[in-house]
Amino acid sequence: MSQEEIQAGLEDPDKMRAASQRAMRITMELNNQYHEPEDVRKLFFQLIGQPEDETFCLFPPFYTDYGMHIKVGKNVFINSGCRFQDQGGIEIGDGALIGHNVVLATLNHDENPEKRHILHPKPIILGKNVWVGANATIVSGVTIGDGAIIAAGAVVTRDVPANMVVGGVPAKVIRPVKMD
């Protein structure tokens, strides 16, 4: 995972293109026919280059532009339609639940129109037992604390403390997680 800026045309285009093509090939295989759960797992871990974990569960389709910068813990569940832009790095802690159509976007363009071709990668980190609701978006550089809940449809632009519920656009702390 690199956190250095990426300038279009200055990086090794063949290497970047090959990695993207590899991710497209694997996700195309994953998404375009039925697979038994163990085969889904096998394809996902082939995509991310991590040893296979039998506690992992994914409901396809799943999309990523790179794949090799995703790390998942134990007992992680990813629901259908998720899109992970992982060039800046994505870490998902043990017990995380990720809802339908969640977007994790680790790249941002430069604001200056003259430099907009420059990309700024920053990792997204989801702590242990995080629950991300359907259609939420988490942007680059955000860390979600252990036990936090991201409400459906939220756009998370800042770090979230542990054991807090956040929601809205942009997401704001709503309340602590109920621990009864």
Side-chain angles (χ1 to χ4, degrees):
M1 289 178 280
S2 172
Q3 291 185 37
E4 297 176 17
E5 64 184 35
I6 300 170
Q7 294 193 39
L10 296 182
E11 299 299 313
D12 182 349
D14 292 332
K15 181 180 175 186
M16 292 180 75
R17 200 171 297 115
S20 293
Q21 292 298 315
R22 178 189 167 280
M24 282 191 280
R25 183 175 53 254
I26 295 170
T27 55
M28 183 73 82
E29 182 178 347
L30 175 67
N31 295 335
N32 289 310
Q33 63 182 349
Y34 174 77
H35 296 284
E36 293 293 331
E38 57 272 7
D39 294 327
V40 169
R41 236 184 355 260
K42 189 172 292 185
L43 285 166
F44 182 81
F45 283 97
Q46 177 186 350
L47 174 67
I48 70 170
Q50 183 177 321
E52 191 174 335
D53 173 26
E54 291 184 10
T55 67
F56 175 82
C57 184
L58 167 71
F59 288 177
F62 173 81
Y63 305 93
T64 187
D65 59 352
Y66 197 75
M68 296 300 287
H69 291 165
I70 299 170
K71 294 180 182 176
V72 296
K74 304 280 186 197
N75 297 303
V76 168
F77 173 72
I78 300 173
N79 218 325
S80 64
C82 290
R83 298 175 184 275
F84 290 8
Q85 179 193 53
D86 69 295
Q87 291 178 1
I90 295 172
E91 293 183 26
I92 302 171
D94 295 346
L97 305 173
I98 300 176
H100 289 92
N101 302 315
V102 166
V103 173
L104 302 181
T106 66
L107 291 177
N108 205 351
H109 291 271
D110 203 281
E111 279 189 35
N112 180 337
E114 300 298 318
K115 297 179 180 179
R116 196 140 306 145
H117 61 282
I118 297 174
L119 300 172
H120 300 280
K122 292 183 183 171
I124 292 172
I125 300 169
L126 305 183
K128 293 179 181 178
N129 301 309
V130 166
W131 173 19
V132 182
N135 296 302
T137 298
I138 301 172
V139 300
S140 65
V142 169
T143 296
I144 310 296
D146 293 349
I149 298 173
I150 310 303
V155 176
V156 184
T157 60
R158 295 180 184 198
D159 291 354
V160 175
N163 299 310
M164 294 302 251
V165 178
V166 301
V169 179
K172 293 181 174 39
V173 173
I174 297 172
R175 62 174 170 79
V177 170
K178 294 177 183 173
M179 300 287 211
D180 44 59

